[in-house]
Amino acid sequence: MLITKKNSVKIILQVWNLENADWDNSLDIYKCGFSTAKSWIENEDNWGLAFCIVRGNLKSYQNNNFFNSNQLPQTGKTINILWQKFYIQNTDIYGSGNYKFYYVTGEKRANVFKEKPIILDTFTNFNIFERKYMRIGMTNIANDETGVTKELLRLSDELKFYPGF
């Protein structure tokens, strides 16, 4: 789907790396939301569907008490899973100056994928998607041409709301 000024679809991707020291396990992993330092999320025009992907090796999932780590592949490689999806409905600002961040939440059609992990590493073109979108923090993936966003929409039962994909 090509996004233009007339077609301002927002599909936000947030990636959490479990191996980073800033992973905040005090957040309720069953509640949909994430934190970011990117101030553009404060503007409601930038809100839309949000996908949260968690990445790490098997040991980091186990160390963070992830609810479905026993269903993950037994490998030493990085595992990427679709963790949650929701529509952004609120941002709260915490801190100030260099320590300011935004906690982004929403309950509209929210889902935490806890029954069976959706492992993304096996998706066609995932390696291209990862290089293009997963190394820059929170970003809009509505312009994705790899097919991964379409697959995320399909697996999360959202594709029917995005007929252009």
Side-chain angles (χ1 to χ4, degrees):
M1 172 181 248
L2 182 61
I3 305 304
T4 65
K5 290 189 186 258
K6 292 180 183 176
N7 179 10
S8 59
V9 173
K10 304 291 189 236
I11 303 174
I12 307 302
L13 175 71
Q14 175 67 25
V15 179
W16 283 103
N17 187 338
L18 291 176
E19 298 167 14
N20 286 348
D22 65 348
W23 170 257
D24 185 359
N25 200 30
S26 64
L27 297 175
D28 182 353
I29 62 175
Y30 294 104
K31 182 179 177 189
C32 290
F34 59 82
S35 61
T36 182
K38 293 191 175 183
S39 62
W40 59 262
I41 198 63
E42 189 175 19
N43 182 341
E44 288 185 31
D45 291 340
N46 293 322
W47 295 3
L49 177 65
F51 286 117
C52 299
I53 293 175
V54 174
R55 63 182 301 145
N57 60 32
L58 180 60
K59 186 169 178 71
S60 62
Y61 281 97
Q62 293 166 338
N63 289 343
N64 283 283
N65 299 317
F66 249 75
F67 40 83
N68 53 16
S69 61
N70 61 331
Q71 298 177 43
L72 295 175
Q74 301 295 307
T75 179
K77 295 180 179 180
T78 298
I79 304 166
N80 296 278
I81 65 168
L82 177 58
W83 174 29
Q84 59 183 354
K85 64 115 179 183
F86 64 95
Y87 280 85
I88 298 171
Q89 295 175 289
N90 189 42
T91 58
D92 294 316
I93 301 171
Y94 292 94
S96 61
N98 292 340
Y99 299 102
K100 185 177 184 178
F101 68 96
Y102 302 84
Y103 188 60
V104 181
T105 59
E107 295 180 11
K108 183 178 176 185
R109 288 204 307 270
N111 189 16
V112 176
F113 300 95
K114 59 187 175 212
E115 298 304 317
K116 182 177 181 199
I118 298 174
I119 301 168
L120 308 177
D121 305 276
T122 60
F123 287 15
T124 302
N125 295 326
F126 181 74
N127 59 337
I128 298 166
F129 178 86
E130 180 182 25
R131 281 193 310 270
K132 190 171 183 180
Y133 298 108
M134 293 178 57
R135 300 182 193 268
I136 55 176
M138 185 182 65
T139 191
N140 184 4
I141 58 172
N143 280 322
D144 171 41
E145 296 176 357
T146 67
V148 172
T149 298
K150 183 176 183 175
E151 187 66 3
L152 290 172
L153 290 167
R154 186 186 69 77
L155 290 170
S156 65
D157 200 29
E158 291 290 327
L159 188 56
K160 59 190 169 208
F161 302 109
Y162 296 87
F165 274 89

